Amino acid sequence: MTHLLPPQTAQRLPGGGFSRKTWAMLVKEFIQLKRDRVSFAMIIMIPLVQLMLFGYAINTNPRDLPTAVLMQESTDLSRSILAALENTKYFRVTQLPHSEAEVDELLASGTVLFAVEIPARFERSVRRGPRYAQHGSADRALTRPRCS
């Protein structure tokens, strides 16, 4: 039975069959691309068009997010934070709720997509040191694209 096997099969490298088949298929595909210029152009042009589209045409920066601000104190610092939020292009303060339950209701109903809470004694906490408490809440809908 040994006379049926060619002498070079005993000296094959382990795992060489898969590598050779893959290499042969790769060479065959490149030869086919050389023959078919339209396919080659499509392989180059489609990713370039996608790159241009995703890079320039689709803007993922959020703008004018309807925002609720819960101010539990009315101090200079909290009013300046509110003014700073209103002056950004990212937030549009549409609601000034009076309780956390109202904030949760606004977020759940979709009236606002973002909420900022300035707690009581916030300015005092800021003046005391680096451990101050300011809360922000966002709706899960922020992960979905929004056209404006």
Side-chain angles (χ1 to χ4, degrees), residues 52-91:
M52 296 295 287
L53 180 69
F54 293 140
Y56 295 109
I58 298 174
N59 187 1
T60 58
N61 288 336
R63 293 188 190 275
D64 295 325
L65 294 174
T67 304
V69 178
L70 174 60
M71 293 178 49
Q72 295 180 351
E73 72 174 6
S74 182
T75 61
D76 290 337
L77 181 61
S78 60
R79 285 190 299 271
S80 67
I81 290 173
L82 178 62
L85 283 173
E86 288 174 338
N87 287 331
T88 66
K89 58 186 171 190
Y90 301 110
F91 304 107

Side-chain angles (χ1 to χ4, degrees), residues 3-83:
H3 66 280
L4 296 176
L5 295 174
Q8 63 268 23
T9 57
Q11 298 175 358
R12 278 190 187 170
L13 295 173
F18 177 75
S19 302
R20 275 195 325 211
K21 289 177 184 178
T22 304
W23 181 255
M25 187 179 68
L26 188 68
V27 168
K28 177 190 75 98
E29 290 299 325
F30 275 111
I31 290 171
Q32 183 63 29
L33 279 176
K34 245 173 94 173
R35 291 180 190 156
D36 188 10
R37 299 286 185 187
V38 174
S39 295
F40 183 72
M42 294 302 281
I43 286 174
I44 299 298
M45 290 306 293
I46 288 177
L48 286 177
V49 168
Q50 287 178 335
L51 183 67
M52 296 295 287
L53 180 69
F54 293 140
Y56 295 109
I58 298 174
N59 187 1
T60 58
N61 288 336
R63 293 188 190 275
D64 295 325
L65 294 174
T67 304
V69 178
L70 174 60
M71 293 178 49
Q72 295 180 351
E73 72 174 6
S74 182
T75 61
D76 290 337
L77 181 61
S78 60
R79 285 190 299 271
S80 67
I81 290 173
L82 178 62

Side-chain angles (χ1 to χ4, degrees), residues 84-100:
L85 283 173
E86 288 174 338
N87 287 331
T88 66
K89 58 186 171 190
Y90 301 110
F91 304 107
R92 183 172 32 94
V93 178
T94 58
Q95 302 285 330
L96 292 171
H98 300 291
S99 68
E100 288 183 26

Side-chain angles (χ1 to χ4, degrees), residues 98-115:
H98 300 291
S99 68
E100 288 183 26
E102 196 175 341
V103 169
D104 292 338
E105 184 180 312
L106 289 169
L107 283 170
S109 68
T111 306
V112 297
L113 296 177
F114 198 76

